[in-house]
Amino acid sequence: MRHEDAIGPNSPLYLQLRELIRGKIENGEYLPGTAIPSVGALAETYGIHRLSVRSAVSALIGEGLLKAVQGKGIFVVGDKLEQELESVGGFRQNMVAQGKKAETRVLVKTLRPAGAAYGALLGVPADTALYFIKQVCSVGGEPVSLEEIYLPAELVPNLDKVDLGVFSILEIQDFYGIIPVRGEQSLEITQLNPADARQLGVEPGRGVLRLQCVSYDGGGRAVELTRTYTRGDRCTFSVHFQREY
Amino acid sequence: MQEYRARPRERAEELLEGYLLEHRLKPGDRLPPERELSQLWGLSRSTLRTAIAHMEQDGLLYSREGSGNYIAAPKYNRDLRGLLSMSQAAAAQGLRVETRLLDIKRMECGKDLARRFGRMLGAPVYKVARLRCVDAAPLMLETAFIPAELAEGLEYKELERRSLFSVLEEDYGLVPEQGDEKVGITYATAGEAELMGVAEESPLFWIVSQTYDRQAGLIEYCRAVARPDRMRLTTVLERQGEEEDIHET
């Protein structure tokens, strides 16, 4: 919660400075992609200790508003990417819609049995063959999300021959006449194991958002299970709701 | 097609998840001893323990010293598109919500609030801070802002007993008809950590919502933090153009 309304002349200086910097980012004085004044310069301007400046800055780095680049300075991060929970489209569609260039790098593409866990989630027996795909999605060269996708193999029989760098899962399903019409999504916070954290460029202990979606076709058959791990400092999810009468 | 072998830790987490689903374990049920499970699955004790610790952190399991691992209480499901009040939604899930009113005050709009509500600088707004607990455990800390002219006298309402939305609707004729909500991650400040019963800097959901009445426009702007081990956010999406939806979740 941003308690800027509660921060006043009696608040600790680092909190006052944090809100001051936040304000300058919001009103455009500090522009996305540009460096803010150095810690030393801020300390001098406001006559406060460098340690206080550091804690103000590191809080904003933690929130994803600023980014420290070794040897270069502290930069303002642009608007967070927004993913619409409402669209049935995949990652690519969402990013393209916002005019950002997205790339996908496949880490794993393999056939495996569903096992108890994925069998239960997809409503198929444990020995059902699934395609398992694990990929990193990047925007502007920076990893944004890690996706784990499980697809019943009989629904997309030739998946191993398809270049996933060219076609999205949604397009491939389309080739086979599979149209997901309903998705059950849940959003949680979890932590990645060290190897996955490295792929996503986050510290292992840091929280990431985990969006799980089970998609169903018109006949109510589960056609896909996707778990998307997203960097909390690069993305927010948004949803629009309306009262039904 | 490439050979793929899952890492032991991933395998352990998948097996545990499968075990919970397959055996339909209920909150408070005990997991078999670690020794038994590691033998059953051919995993080392330390790998199994790492996986269990991860599921504890995610709020799926909890452990009791010397007695083993148990299935945790179910998470509160917040349906992002539902407009049920939190107490109604919790009741439907067999959970009981309590609200502690931390603060309610009339204040003047700063620049950001004024812009958001389309009002002059200094226009009066109510700020309502509430701590929501589910089954006596802190879940969510909400700070809501409501233009004072739309809800004069809000400070005299029983906001611990009644939901804010039902007060707005029944007493002020404001209908929370549509809105939007943004969800991200934030890290607990010292104050939030104390109220929520978590360690400082631990990850929390960060939820910002705006709710609109057809005539009055924006009636509530709310910023909240919530414990991810006790809450999940859910939504059901339907592709447009299909016939009537099935809202069973």
Side-chain angles (χ1 to χ4, degrees), chain A residues 1-2 5 82 85 112 160 181-183 185-188 190-191 227 237 239-241 243 245, chain B residues 1 14 17 54 58 75 141 143 177-179 181 183 186 192 223 225 233 235 237-239 246:
Chain A
M1 195 163 325
R2 310 284 160 256
D5 307 286
E82 254 179 48
L85 276 179
R112 53 156 288 168
D160 48 330
V181 297
R182 173 184 162 81
Q185 300 187 311
S186 66
L187 190 62
E188 293 177 85
T190 187
Q191 290 172 6
R227 285 176 173 170
F237 289 88
V239 69
H240 181 85
F241 50 87
R243 182 178 274 205
Y245 292 97
Chain B
M1 178 156 289
E14 184 187 331
E17 191 181 348
H54 189 227
D58 283 355
K75 290 189 184 187
L141 185 59
T143 306
E177 197 181 55
Q178 55 162 313
E181 188 152 295
V183 184
T186 188
E192 289 162 0
R223 298 185 294 222
V225 291
L233 297 128
T235 183
L237 44 81
E238 315 274 347
R239 177 164 279 189
I246 337 125

Side-chain angles (χ1 to χ4, degrees), chain B residues 110-124:
Chain B
K111 182 187 68 184
D112 294 340
L113 284 175
R115 202 172 283 166
R116 198 175 289 276
F117 284 116
R119 282 170 166 78
M120 300 278 283
L121 202 63

Side-chain angles (χ1 to χ4, degrees), chain A residues 110 112-122 125-128 130 132 148 150 193 210 225 227 229, chain B residues 4-23 41 43 47-48 50-52 54-55 60:
Chain A
T110 193
R112 53 156 288 168
Y118 302 112
L121 289 166
L122 287 165
D127 59 358
T128 308
L130 300 182
F132 168 52
E148 295 172 345
Y150 300 86
N193 63 48
R210 186 187 87 160
L225 163 70
R227 285 176 173 170
Y229 301 88
Chain B
Y4 174 71
R5 296 189 72 82
R7 295 185 204 96
R9 179 182 153 171
E10 289 170 349
R11 229 191 110 225
E13 282 174 15
E14 184 187 331
L15 287 164
L16 275 168
E17 191 181 348
Y19 191 92
L20 266 51
L21 287 166
E22 207 174 25
H23 293 79
W41 293 328
L43 291 164
T47 301
L48 183 68
T50 310
I52 287 175
H54 189 227
M55 291 177 80
L60 299 172

Side-chain angles (χ1 to χ4, degrees), chain A residues 83 85 87-94 104 117-118 121-122 130-137 145-152 159 164 168-170 173 180 182-188 190 209-216 222-230 237, chain B residues 17 235 237:
Chain A
Q83 296 195 344
L85 276 179
S87 61
V88 188
F91 173 82
R92 189 182 293 269
Q93 284 84 346
N94 286 325
T104 305
Y118 302 112
L121 289 166
L122 287 165
L130 300 182
Y131 276 112
F132 168 52
I133 297 151
K134 186 161 172 169
Q135 56 190 22
V136 181
C137 298
S145 66
L146 189 67
E147 293 183 3
E148 295 172 345
I149 303 164
Y150 300 86
L151 303 157
L159 189 69
L164 291 171
S168 69
I169 302 291
L170 207 63
Q173 288 173 330
R182 173 184 162 81
E184 291 179 3
Q185 300 187 311
S186 66
L187 190 62
E188 293 177 85
T190 187
L209 289 161
R210 186 187 87 160
L211 179 72
Q212 174 174 294
C213 182
V214 184
S215 318
Y216 300 87
V223 296
E224 180 183 346
L225 163 70
T226 306
R227 285 176 173 170
T228 308
Y229 301 88
T230 311
F237 289 88
Chain B
E17 191 181 348
T235 183
L237 44 81

